Amino acid sequence: MTDHVEPTEQQVGSEASQTELQEQAQQPPSSITKVVFVQSPPGAPSQAASNETVASEPQDLQQLRESFKRIYKGPDLLRHEYELEQEAARLGIALSKYRRLYRLGAKEPLPVLAKAWRSTGGRIWKWSGLGEKQGWDYLQLLISASVPFVLFFAGEYFTNKANAQQEAIAADRYRQEALSQYFDQMTQLLIDKNLRHQTDPRNEVREMARARTLSTLQELDGNRKGLVLKFLNEESLISLNQKGSKQKDPIVNLEGSNLKEVSLTHGDLSSTCLVDTIMKNADLSYALLEHADLRKAFLKQANLSHADLKDADLRDSTLKRSDLSHADLSGAKLKGATYDNLTKFPEHFDPEKAGLRKQ
């Protein structure tokens, strides 16, 4: 008969532990495990990886991913945070841990700017009190904020307008002073230097009178230029003789002078020498220009309507875009003068027969 040997306590424990390990290997995983790797210091023996079971995590990874999908991902941060808290409570996971898992596993993590606004912007919004305001409050706020800008730009506008008016007044005063000074200088030459009777074209007094006249015309406006022409004609300084023949050397030679925009409506410039003058945009409507010498005069866009141009000399002048409607051109010399489609002539006047050239 074989003797029965009782197993020792150590053998019984060893067999029990092997049985438990086999049963655990056959069962499915019941929890999510996290493997922690511990790096051994130099020279120390390496430690085996240990499994740390997280009891608060969900039991199924698929269930956790489905939980992530239910989280709101729109711009409403309050709703997003609320749903995070609800899902964490439902799954029994700490909120901080669930939020960390969500940011790792969600397809659309929170943007950086949204996090910054949640942490900082929300406090600023609450501190400013803007969140409690209504539409009318915002309108009042906008009006209050815009008042300084409106006042600033209104002040700038009126200041600029006032400055422009002051500059215009100063410029007009300057022109008037220049005209008065010119009349004084020319009167002095007429009285003290006997300008009217200086017959030599190279005479120093005549050259001085011409220089002062041309320089003054550069500074004047159209109306004051007309006053200068009227003065020169009345003093017989730009006049031709009574028969209308050309005087080769008028006392004051206006050749090349700036008479742009000169205005002398209804003025008398008959028998005057205006050869080669620049009279663009001049207003000489209803003016008396009988026997006037206007050869080579630049009369582009000039208003000569109803002007008396009988026996005037307009040869080689420029009449482009000029208005000669109702003007008296009987006996006028127009050969070589240029015109265009915008030039207006009196009715039944034929420019080609008169010798004008179209350009």
Side-chain angles (χ1 to χ4, degrees), residues 122-331:
R123 291 195 297 270
I124 296 176
W125 181 263
K126 183 178 180 180
W127 170 80
S128 64
L130 294 175
E132 302 175 358
K133 295 184 179 297
Q134 303 297 326
W136 177 249
D137 297 328
Y138 285 113
L139 181 59
Q140 289 181 327
L141 181 62
L142 179 61
I143 293 174
S144 301
S146 62
V147 167
F149 295 98
V150 173
L151 294 177
F152 172 77
F153 288 110
E156 285 291 315
Y157 170 76
F158 288 112
T159 300
N160 293 336
K161 187 175 181 180
N163 292 338
Q165 291 177 348
Q166 292 296 329
E167 291 177 359
I169 293 173
D172 188 73
R173 186 183 297 114
Y174 171 78
R175 295 188 186 103
Q176 184 59 39
E177 291 177 356
L179 180 63
S180 299
Q181 186 177 8
Y182 171 75
F183 286 155
D184 294 340
Q185 292 172 349
M186 293 299 291
T187 301
Q188 184 179 4
L189 292 177
L190 287 167
I191 296 175
D192 298 341
K193 303 296 182 179
N194 199 18
L195 174 62
R196 192 180 294 107
H197 302 287
Q198 299 295 335
T199 58
D200 185 3
R202 301 178 182 178
N203 182 269
E204 181 181 356
V205 178
R206 289 177 58 166
E207 290 181 354
M208 185 182 301
R210 168 178 162 80
R212 289 179 178 176
T213 301
L214 267 60
S215 61
T216 301
L217 288 174
Q218 291 283 359
E219 305 294 336
L220 302 181
D221 56 356
N223 292 328
R224 291 184 174 91
K225 288 179 180 179
L227 294 177
V228 170
L229 287 183
K230 182 179 179 181
F231 169 80
L232 294 173
N233 187 39
E234 290 176 350
E235 296 297 333
S236 301
L237 299 177
I238 57 172
S239 300
L240 303 173
N241 62 21
Q242 294 181 355
K243 294 183 179 181
S245 60
K246 295 182 295 295
Q247 184 172 324
K248 294 182 180 180
D249 51 353
I251 301 300
V252 177
N253 183 5
L254 293 179
E255 183 177 349
S257 60
N258 180 6
L259 292 171
K260 293 179 181 179
E261 300 180 355
V262 60
S263 179
L264 196 61
T265 58
H266 299 276
D268 185 4
L269 291 173
S270 55
S271 300
T272 54
C273 183
L274 299 170
V275 176
D276 202 14
T277 52
I278 303 172
M279 305 178 74
K280 182 180 179 180
N281 294 315
D283 187 1
L284 298 173
S285 57
Y286 295 93
L288 297 175
L289 292 163
E290 185 178 3
H291 296 289
D293 191 350
L294 291 162
R295 288 173 299 154
K296 299 181 180 180
F298 190 76
L299 291 161
K300 185 177 181 179
Q301 295 177 309
N303 184 3
L304 294 165
S305 61
H306 299 91
D308 185 357
L309 289 163
K310 290 192 299 288
D311 299 316
D313 193 346
L314 290 161
R315 288 176 295 177
D316 298 319
S317 62
T318 301
L319 299 172
K320 295 179 181 180
R321 301 187 182 184
S322 298
D323 185 1
L324 291 159
S325 58
H326 306 287
D328 188 353
L329 293 173
S330 56

Side-chain angles (χ1 to χ4, degrees), residues 3-177:
D3 295 335
H4 177 73
V5 181
E6 294 290 334
T8 63
E9 184 179 353
Q10 182 177 2
Q11 293 176 347
V12 173
S14 176
E15 293 177 358
S17 60
Q18 291 179 359
T19 305
E20 290 178 359
L21 290 174
Q22 291 177 358
E23 292 178 355
Q24 289 180 2
Q26 294 175 359
Q27 293 179 357
S30 58
S31 62
I32 297 176
T33 61
K34 180 171 68 176
V35 179
V36 181
F37 294 92
V38 180
Q39 184 177 3
S40 301
S46 60
Q47 297 180 356
S50 61
N51 295 338
E52 181 181 345
T53 304
V54 182
S56 60
E57 290 182 353
Q59 295 182 356
D60 195 307
L61 183 60
Q62 185 66 28
Q63 182 182 3
L64 185 62
R65 294 189 184 278
E66 292 296 329
S67 173
F68 292 163
K69 294 179 181 179
R70 287 193 292 269
I71 299 298
Y72 172 77
K73 300 177 178 62
D76 191 342
L77 297 178
L78 181 61
R79 178 180 172 184
H80 176 84
E81 188 67 20
Y82 174 78
E83 293 189 1
L84 283 177
E85 293 179 359
Q86 292 295 319
E87 287 296 319
R90 186 178 65 83
L91 297 175
I93 304 176
L95 177 59
S96 59
K97 186 176 295 185
Y98 182 79
R99 184 183 290 114
R100 184 174 65 253
L101 292 173
Y102 172 76
R103 292 175 183 174
L104 292 174
K107 294 183 178 179
E108 298 180 6
L110 285 176
V112 177
L113 292 179
K115 292 189 292 183
W117 169 253
R118 185 179 62 186
S119 60
T120 305
R123 291 195 297 270
I124 296 176
W125 181 263
K126 183 178 180 180
W127 170 80
S128 64
L130 294 175
E132 302 175 358
K133 295 184 179 297
Q134 303 297 326
W136 177 249
D137 297 328
Y138 285 113
L139 181 59
Q140 289 181 327
L141 181 62
L142 179 61
I143 293 174
S144 301
S146 62
V147 167
F149 295 98
V150 173
L151 294 177
F152 172 77
F153 288 110
E156 285 291 315
Y157 170 76
F158 288 112
T159 300
N160 293 336
K161 187 175 181 180
N163 292 338
Q165 291 177 348
Q166 292 296 329
E167 291 177 359
I169 293 173
D172 188 73
R173 186 183 297 114
Y174 171 78
R175 295 188 186 103
Q176 184 59 39
E177 291 177 356

